[in-house]
Amino acid sequence: MAGKKNQTALVTGGAGFLGSHLCEYFLGRGFRVIGVDNFITGREANVRHLLKQKNFVFLRRDVSAPFGVKERVHYVFHFASPASPPDYLKYPIETMKVGAFGTYQALNLARDKRSVFILASTSEVYGDPEVSPQAEDYRGSVNPVGPRSVYDEAKRFAEALTAAYRREHRLDTKIARIFNTYGERMRPEDGRVIPNFISQALQGRPLTVYGDGSQTRSYCYVGDLIEGIARLAHSSLRGPVNLGNPDEMSVLELAKMVLKITGAKSALVRRPLPEDDPRRRCPDIRLAKKSLRWAPKVALREGLSRTIDYFRSQALGKKI
Ligand code: NAD
Ligand code: UDP
């Protein structure tokens, strides 16, 4: 992004999968970047290479509690939250706290600094959708007391709070509804389907297909997603806007693709379908295409190959 030197971006969840890519993206474009993370699901290793850069500051903080920074901040990217279903099921209260109190703290910071505020929301606000593809005006079908609700309802609350700050404080806010994104720096033991399948294939273990594997998802490569987030931050669009790859496929098809690319001979084993697991998910990205001139470029086969190379380069000691 040209002409943005001497500006500061603060990224909550900066040591996570997406947050670390976001930090790297803005550092690479001349920004000063403040990463904030408490490592609940993130890793120091994700930002170790950035710590040497003079424009990068890392703060170990829980953003659900008040956190202050002295300097001017031009952009606040609120990305802190467990995001993998096994993670948010393991940390249900922390997930609700960071979606609620964490968003409140990040919004207060943006209000005090007059920053642009960008919320990492999710396709999960649509719950188990009755329509497909999902457009931004679809209001969703969420079970408010099911196990996934700690994530879904926290994000719905975060969107509502963000909209309230826009109205009440005239804050420049943006809401990105991110669909399943994958790529380098996902933890092998993260529990989401792509890291699971890749780790299992590389270790010659069976790939765990939940249910009959006919449920669908649409997977976006991390580089494409980060480009979409950056375009949103610099646009006049407030959203909510869907960011994802509309190339929809079943979990079974994904498993077969991972086996093909890795060359693994692993079997597929069935495991119970988790409660409230959405049947299908596919973004309608017409708004992002029109308003941000953005569309994903990296095909799943290419993105998976890059991710598999990354996983190969990691020590894969741990079983899932
Ligand atoms: P991640 O678990 O890799 O990263 C989340 C980061 O937030 C971690 O580093 C974690 O330690 C940090 N964090 C959590 N609670 C915190 C707290 N209270 N204080 C400080 N740091 C805290 O997950 P991710 O996939 O990188 O997701 C990042 C964001 O994007 C999340 O808000 C998630 O809801 C959203 N999102 C991701 C996807 C996806 O497919 N990756 C899809 C939709 C939305
Ligand atoms: N899934 C699977 N095997 C796994 C992990 C997940 O079949 O080892 C399925 C899961 O039930 C869901 C889909 O893959 O239907 C995507 O799951 P993920 O946890 O990646 O993300 P979600 O979209 O459910 O948040």
Side-chain angles (χ1 to χ4, degrees), residues 83-86 88 123-124 148 151 180 186 190-197 200 207-211 213 215-217 219 251 254 271-274 277-279 281 320:
S84 157
Y88 61 70
S123 51
E124 282 283 316
R148 294 177 84 99
Y151 183 66
N180 298 62
M186 288 186 108
D190 169 294
R192 285 176 273 193
V193 67
I194 288 184
N196 272 10
F197 284 177
Q200 291 160 346
L207 272 55
T208 51
V209 174
Y210 300 166
Q215 69 273 27
T216 68
R217 294 293 186 273
Y219 304 98
V251 164
L254 174 73
R271 293 283 178 265
L273 190 68
D277 197 279
R279 284 291 317 151
R281 196 181 282 148
I320 293 164

Side-chain angles (χ1 to χ4, degrees), residues 196-312:
N196 272 10
F197 284 177
I198 295 178
S199 302
Q200 291 160 346
L202 294 182
Q203 294 172 9
R205 292 187 291 121
L207 272 55
T208 51
V209 174
Y210 300 166
D212 64 6
S214 64
Q215 69 273 27
T216 68
R217 294 293 186 273
S218 311
Y219 304 98
C220 186
Y221 180 64
V222 62
D224 282 335
L225 190 274
I226 297 298
E227 180 61 33
I229 297 286
R231 285 186 189 218
L232 175 62
H234 294 109
S235 76
S236 57
L237 184 68
R238 67 176 77 158
V241 59
N242 291 336
L243 293 177
N245 190 325
D247 183 11
E248 184 181 10
M249 66 161 53
S250 72
V251 164
L252 215 46
E253 286 174 293
L254 174 73
K256 288 178 185 158
M257 194 184 267
V258 170
L259 288 182
K260 195 161 183 200
I261 302 174
T262 54
K265 301 277 177 276
S266 301
L268 305 184
V269 288
R270 295 275 165 87
R271 293 283 178 265
L273 190 68
E275 196 177 334
D276 291 336
D277 197 279
R279 284 291 317 151
R280 35 186 333 193
R281 196 181 282 148
C282 178
D284 178 334
I285 58 165
R286 280 177 296 176
L287 178 61
K289 276 186 172 163
K290 184 165 171 267
S291 303
L292 306 177
R293 301 192 180 283
W294 174 87
K297 292 189 179 133
V298 180
L300 184 60
R301 188 172 295 276
E302 169 62 23
L304 278 179
S305 298
R306 294 183 198 174
T307 311
I308 289 165
D309 287 347
Y310 169 79
F311 274 57
R312 278 207 170 101

Side-chain angles (χ1 to χ4, degrees), residues 12-20 36-43 46 61-65 78-84 87 94-95 97-98 102 120-124 151 155 176-182 185-187 190 192 220 225:
T12 74
F17 161 50
L18 295 182
S20 62
V36 191
D37 204 298
N38 66 351
F39 295 132
I40 187 170
T41 57
R43 300 185 292 187
N46 285 343
R61 300 267 193 288
D62 178 352
V63 301
S64 298
H78 182 40
F79 274 62
S81 172
S84 157
D87 282 345
E94 290 86 345
T95 301
K97 281 176 73 179
V98 74
S121 185
T122 167
S123 51
E124 282 283 316
Y151 183 66
K155 290 290 185 179
R177 289 190 181 147
I178 304 169
F179 283 64
N180 298 62
T181 302
Y182 68 96
R185 302 207 195 110
M186 288 186 108
R187 286 146 42 223
D190 169 294
R192 285 176 273 193
C220 186
L225 190 274

